[in-house]
């Protein structure tokens, strides 16, 4: 059964990512650290799959992840080859992105969001071992990515890029494991709130003391990002409500959450090319980043264009998930019933 609260969090995260990429407002990364939330939700789902299916869950998760990437690559890789991208064996990374796939000058910007799939892929591959460790030593396993990141940021361990990503986002993925196991929900308020407060204060202080080129943008501050995001996840998952009845009472809101959840990967992959393509066009008519009306128009145009592409290719996500393909997901997911004591929502 679907947990509609988790669906709502994913909906908000996707919308926040798109709005941030259009507006560039660094404050949005602090108000809602969307990428860490998305990794935490994915980690919870991965833990549920491993519980049900064991290591076979890895293949199922990859099957749901890669086809949407291949559709994107079928459009943009030929376009990049025609505009200067050299042919090389690295093009195979567009099929299985364990490293950043090659891109030309414009493709590197328009397709920059591919890093999320690269990290997601590594986290899925690492999950069977990580889940085995987590079930035997939860707290040391949870702490490991954060300690790794501290060592990297302090210069103690000059880690390769992939390990830096584990330090930055795998902690959120493991917090998803803890959510699935019910650990976060069982934490007493006298423990959860002080821990979240300490993480937020330390992370916030590090962000203020180490501003990046865009100011206090989480994306420019790995350690601050990890700590601030961990505090946010502890609250939104550790004190998750049993249900959100108001959502099912609003037909429009309920449908919007369903559609975005069923098409989350399509929306994520395709929004950035439209952000990049629209920027010079809207600048011509004077809709600058300082103009609230211009920003609102940019956001609406990006969502409209993403909606068109989603109609065209979003059904690939249905095929990958072995659902009946739909142009617009119409079926209302079953709402999760509050679990009996000792059982966890899946």
């Amino acid at each position: 059964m679907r947990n509609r609260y988790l669906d709502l969090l994913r909906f908000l995260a996707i919308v926040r990512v798109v709005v941030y990429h259009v507006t560039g407002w660094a404050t949005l990364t602090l108000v809602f650290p969307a990428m860490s939330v998305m990794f935490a939700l994915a980690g919870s789902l991965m833990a549920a799959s491993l519980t049900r299916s064991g290591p076979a869950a890895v293949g199922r998760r990859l099957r749901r992840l890669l086809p949407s990437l291949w559709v994107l690559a079928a459009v943009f890789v030929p376009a990049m080859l025609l505009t200067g991208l050299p042919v090389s064996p690295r093009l195979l990374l567009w099929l299985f992105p364990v490293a950043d796939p090659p891109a030309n000058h414009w493709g590197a910007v328009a397709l920059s969001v591919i890093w999320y799939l690269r990290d997601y892929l590594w986290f899925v591959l690492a999950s069977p071992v990580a889940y085995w460790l987590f079930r035997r030593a939860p707290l040391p396993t949870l702490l490991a990515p954060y300690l790794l990141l501290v060592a990297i940021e302090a210069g103690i361990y000059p880690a390769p890029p992939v390990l830096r990503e584990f330090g930055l986002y795998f902690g959120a993925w493991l917090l998803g494991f803890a959510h699935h196991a019910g650990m976060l929900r069982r934490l007493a308020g006298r423990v959860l709130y002080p821990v979240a407060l300490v993480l937020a204060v330390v992370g916030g202080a590090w962000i203020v003391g180490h501003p990046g080129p865009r100011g206090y943008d989480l994306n420019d501050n790995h350690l601050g990002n990890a700590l601030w995001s961990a505090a946010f996840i502890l609250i939104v998952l550790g004190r998750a409500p049993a249900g959100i009845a108001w959502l099912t009472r609003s037909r429009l809101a309920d449908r919007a959450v369903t559609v975005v959840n069923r098409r989350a990967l399509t929306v994520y992959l395709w929004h950035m090319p439209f952000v990049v393509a629209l920027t010079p066009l809207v600048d011509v008519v004077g809709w600058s980043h300082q103009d609230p009306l211009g920003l609102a128009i940019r956001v609406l145009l990006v969502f409209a264009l993403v909606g068109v592409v989603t109609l065209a290719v979003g059904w690939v996500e249905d095929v990958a998930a072995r659902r009946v393909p739909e142009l617009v997901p119409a079926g209302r997911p079953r709402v999760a019933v509050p679990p009996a004591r000792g059982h966890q929502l899946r």
Side-chain angles (χ1 to χ4, degrees):
M1 292 185 182
R2 301 288 304 195
N3 184 323
R4 293 300 272 167
Y5 174 70
L6 301 187
D7 286 347
L8 178 62
L9 283 180
R10 188 178 294 104
F11 168 84
L12 293 174
I14 290 291
V15 171
R16 203 286 280 159
V17 166
V18 177
V19 173
Y20 166 75
H21 282 146
V22 177
T23 64
W25 291 340
T27 305
L28 291 174
T29 66
L30 293 167
V31 173
F32 196 100
M35 299 313 303
S36 291
V37 170
M38 289 167 64
F39 279 122
L41 295 175
S44 182
L45 289 174
M46 188 69 202
S49 296
L50 287 168
T51 300
R52 290 192 303 267
S53 308
V58 171
R60 294 191 179 98
R61 192 59 52 184
L62 295 180
R63 187 195 70 220
R64 299 185 67 162
L65 178 70
L66 294 174
S68 293
L69 171 65
W70 297 339
V71 171
L72 184 82
V75 173
F76 282 97
V77 170
M80 290 190 292
L81 290 172
L82 292 173
T83 53
L85 179 66
V87 176
S88 74
R90 284 182 56 82
L91 287 173
L92 294 175
L93 288 171
W94 283 103
L95 298 177
F96 201 75
V98 290
D100 291 329
N104 64 357
H105 56 288
W106 60 265
V109 179
L111 304 175
S112 57
V113 296
I114 297 298
W115 71 266
Y116 171 70
L117 269 72
R118 177 202 65 208
D119 287 5
Y120 197 117
L121 179 63
W122 275 108
F123 296 170
V124 167
L125 294 175
S127 283
V129 172
Y131 193 53
W132 183 86
L133 291 171
F134 173 81
R135 294 178 69 178
R136 283 151 183 80
L139 187 58
T141 305
L142 282 170
L143 291 176
Y146 299 99
L147 295 176
L148 172 63
L149 186 58
V150 169
I152 293 171
E153 294 299 302
I156 299 172
Y157 176 49
V162 66
L163 282 184
R164 181 185 290 272
E165 296 301 302
F166 268 86
L168 175 55
Y169 287 119
F170 199 57
W173 187 276
L174 294 177
L175 286 173
F177 284 9
H179 169 261
H180 167 72
M183 288 175 56
L184 302 185
R185 189 182 66 253
R186 290 194 298 268
L187 274 178
R190 65 179 182 275
V191 175
L192 185 143
Y193 292 119
V195 169
L197 180 61
V198 169
L199 289 171
V201 169
V202 175
W206 187 265
I207 293 165
V208 171
H210 301 79
R214 291 172 288 189
Y216 303 129
D217 190 314
L218 285 188
N219 296 302
D220 299 327
N221 193 311
H222 292 131
L223 183 57
N225 186 349
L227 297 177
W228 183 269
S229 298
F232 190 90
I233 292 166
L234 282 176
I235 299 299
V236 298
L237 292 186
R239 288 300 174 262
I244 45 174
W246 64 265
L247 181 61
T248 57
R249 289 196 297 266
S250 172
R251 185 174 181 180
L252 179 60
D254 187 65
R255 181 70 178 276
V257 169
T258 297
V259 170
V260 171
N261 271 267
R262 292 280 189 90
R263 298 293 182 262
L265 192 53
T266 302
V267 173
Y268 181 80
L269 288 173
W270 284 89
H271 80 275
M272 197 61 184
F274 292 125
V275 172
V276 173
L278 281 176
T279 297
L281 295 179
V282 297
D283 282 342
V284 171
V285 295
W287 295 335
S288 72
H289 277 77
Q290 288 72 41
D291 175 18
L293 176 61
L295 282 176
I297 293 173
R298 287 172 187 250
V299 171
L300 291 174
L301 284 175
V302 168
F303 274 109
L305 291 170
V306 169
V308 172
V309 170
T310 299
L311 284 173
V313 301
W315 54 268
V316 172
E317 293 195 59
D318 291 330
V319 174
R322 295 182 177 174
R323 296 189 297 257
V324 176
E326 298 177 282
L327 286 179
V328 179
R332 175 177 293 187
R334 291 180 296 168
V335 179
V337 177
R341 183 180 299 272
H343 290 76
Q344 169 68 17
L345 288 172
R346 300 294 174 86

